[in-house]
Amino acid sequence: MDGLHKGWFTEFSPDDLEKINGSDSDSKQLKSDGQEMGGAWPGQAFSLQVKKTLFHEKSKYQDVLVFESTTYGNVLVLDGIIQATERDEFSYQEMLAHLPLFAHPNPKRVLIIGGGDGGILREVLKHEQVEKVTMCEIDEMVIEVAKKYLPGMSCGFNDPKLDLYCGDGFEFLKNHKNEFDVIITDSSDPVGPAESLFGQSYYELLRDALNDDGILSSQGESVWLHLNLIAHLIKFNRQIFPTVNYGQSIVSTYPSGSMGYLICAKNANRDVTVPSREVSPSIQSQLRFYNSEVHRAAFVLPQFVKNALNQ
Amino acid sequence: MDGLHKGWFTEFSPDDLEKINGSDSDSKQLKSDGQEMGGAWPGQAFSLQVKKTLFHEKSKYQDVLVFESTTYGNVLVLDGIIQATERDEFSYQEMLAHLPLFAHPNPKRVLIIGGGDGGILREVLKHEQVEKVTMCEIDEMVIEVAKKYLPGMSCGFNDPKLDLYCGDGFEFLKNHKNEFDVIITDSSDPVGPAESLFGQSYYELLRDALNDDGILSSQGESVWLHLNLIAHLIKFNRQIFPTVNYGQSIVSTYPSGSMGYLICAKNANRDVTVPSREVSPSIQSQLRFYNSEVHRAAFVLPQFVKNALNQ
């Protein structure tokens, strides 16, 4: 059973899928150092109706599925987990990209780790001052299926500002120091190929790859599911960065309907919870989710989250 | 098929469930006056794992189900739609109740239409200045199952400040004029017994039942699913109330993970998007979602919603 059943795709939590399939081969990846890790949401599942399966193969790293849904457009699924639907991807892509980009006064060099569907790249290229975008995606198959089946997301892959590397983000960072104004980690959950992107040593490499006024933005899971993991990420990042903030937005097809964004800055005086620049009318007209007020409001957290994160 | 299947409860959109069951008896209720109506989210479904079915009967008005889930506590389901889970109900109950109650400088008399699970009543009673709460719920069976299976929500039903009526909210309002400081409509979707609670004549009755500085709060569906209905509700309410605002919060087990709140005031000078009163430490310590910053941020809308609602 892989989630495709009777005309519907069902996204189970990886641990529930193991139980349904009677295998526990990967369950050790779900727990680490006593922390509840992301990538698990036992006891709940989300389904989309499938019109047509467009692509389904195993890459070197993961199971890659693209299907046409009846009401959410084309849908990208990696290892059984929905990564993006054409209907609501703009919320995640815009927030993960524009929170750090508008918090930065003048972002010229940007690095994207992951982001193979191209959605983050599309958003970064909306900023005219960006001179060069470097992207490091481990799985070339994701880029290829995005080019073919997700044209609205992958429209930036031919841009002359792009330097594209296919390889491991962790290894890439070891050779790049003080180079980027903004780094965006657009990863899947910490189960499978993205596992190393949630550890302390990864964030230390990110800090070193940023310029002195550099800002980092990372996929930060959901406060409804992974509050312990989020508290853990924030705690160790406060040892690495002088400025650490957590925001969130609604992304309706992600588990529990929300996604968080961990935004860190190397400059202690940089307040990432407010934009540093005005959103020009020409950019605003291209945005469906983000605006300056949404930027500020993203960092206002429900009381139970404030309590848990000591904010 | 009623959503309970192989140890899981699946919430289908009512129109999809009709197709699955081969019946179209209620489909006419889903469309009205060319408006996309709430209560439909075709092509997507949400499932919770069932530990034990606690109650399942048909009342005079609807199918009433309560089950114990494996990870969301006890769950109340009406006509196949999840109304509340013990794990995340606080977001909806606190926001629907405290947005109007804290926007009002001194709410003494409060009316709840619907709200049979008791969650809104519990929140209203946290305000010391409230002298009397009137509640009008059409379905006595919902109150009875809440008392038995949802004790954390139904804890206010024995409070001496409560006047409880079992009957139709629409009819109740016809006999009550200029009486309430705050009215809260805690209804299910506009399919079934709550259908009349989404029409213009209902809102005219609400206005007439409010005092001159009265504030109304209504369950306002999701911007990800029902933007046309929401635009329609706002448009006709601007003919009825001088102040009309729309806010939202994440409620992880509602379709698309969010719920909206339509907040209207009879006083043109009342800005409901900011609290009129401080949240005392004794109330704040009882709240898990709401705080003053959350109040303000709830009314900051994503750009696509602003565009659609002309806000």
Side-chain angles (χ1 to χ4, degrees), chain B residues 112 115-126 130 132-135 143 146-148 150-164 286:
Chain B
I112 303 167
D117 59 40
I120 295 295
L121 173 62
R122 176 193 66 200
E123 297 306 320
V124 172
L125 290 168
K126 290 176 182 170
V130 169
K132 192 174 165 191
V133 190
T134 306
M135 183 165 160
I143 297 171
K147 282 181 179 171
K148 192 159 181 189
L150 303 165
M153 281 181 245
S154 57
C155 49
F157 279 115
N158 290 323
D159 196 285
K161 290 180 179 173
L162 174 66
D163 263 350
L164 179 62
Q286 300 173 63

Side-chain angles (χ1 to χ4, degrees), chain B residues 101-109 129-131 181-182 213 270 276-277:
Chain B
L101 286 162
F102 278 112
H104 197 287
N106 189 20
K108 290 183 177 175
R109 295 202 56 180
Q129 57 273 80
V130 169
E131 294 169 0
D181 300 309
V182 167
D213 198 8
R270 177 67 54 210
S276 284
R277 298 178 285 130

Side-chain angles (χ1 to χ4, degrees), chain A residues 33 35 198-200 203-204 226-246 262-264 308-311:
Chain A
D33 298 330
Q35 290 292 327
F198 286 80
Q200 186 161 344
Y203 281 86
E204 286 165 352
H226 307 121
L227 206 44
N228 289 348
L229 169 68
I230 293 162
H232 174 66
L233 281 169
I234 289 174
K235 192 176 173 191
F236 76 63
N237 270 300
R238 287 201 176 125
Q239 312 287 323
I240 300 172
F241 292 94
T243 305
V244 179
N245 284 92
Y246 188 85
L262 183 68
I263 315 290
C264 306
L309 303 183
N310 297 312
Q311 287 199 327

Side-chain angles (χ1 to χ4, degrees), chain A residues 5-6 8 10 12 16 19-20 41-49 70-72 87-88 90-91 224-225 248-253 256-258 284 287-291 293-294 297 300-307, chain B residues 5-6 8 10 12 16 19-20 41-49 70-72 87-88 90-91 224-225 248-253 256-258 284 287-291 293-294 297 300-307:
Chain A
H5 188 61
K6 287 192 178 174
W8 290 73
T10 296
F12 288 101
D16 281 339
K19 283 184 208 152
I20 291 165
W41 43 88
Q44 69 187 86
F46 179 70
S47 304
L48 288 174
Q49 196 172 18
T70 58
T71 53
Y72 276 79
R87 176 163 150 188
D88 73 345
F90 61 96
S91 169
W224 293 93
L225 300 170
Q248 58 170 352
S249 75
I250 297 171
V251 185
S252 61
T253 54
S256 290
S258 72
Q284 188 63 68
L287 301 180
R288 296 171 64 194
F289 198 91
Y290 180 94
N291 60 44
E293 288 179 293
V294 164
V300 175
L301 299 172
Q303 191 62 35
F304 78 101
V305 182
K306 279 184 73 170
N307 294 347
Chain B
H5 188 60
K6 288 193 180 174
W8 290 73
T10 297
F12 287 101
D16 282 337
K19 283 182 208 154
I20 291 165
W41 43 89
Q44 68 187 85
F46 179 69
S47 305
L48 288 174
Q49 195 172 17
T70 57
T71 52
Y72 276 80
R87 177 164 148 187
D88 72 346
F90 62 95
S91 169
W224 292 93
L225 299 169
Q248 59 171 351
S249 75
I250 297 170
V251 186
S252 60
T253 54
S256 290
S258 72
Q284 188 62 66
L287 301 180
R288 296 171 64 194
F289 198 91
Y290 180 93
N291 59 45
E293 287 180 294
V294 165
V300 175
L301 299 172
Q303 191 61 36
F304 78 100
V305 182
K306 279 185 75 169
N307 294 346

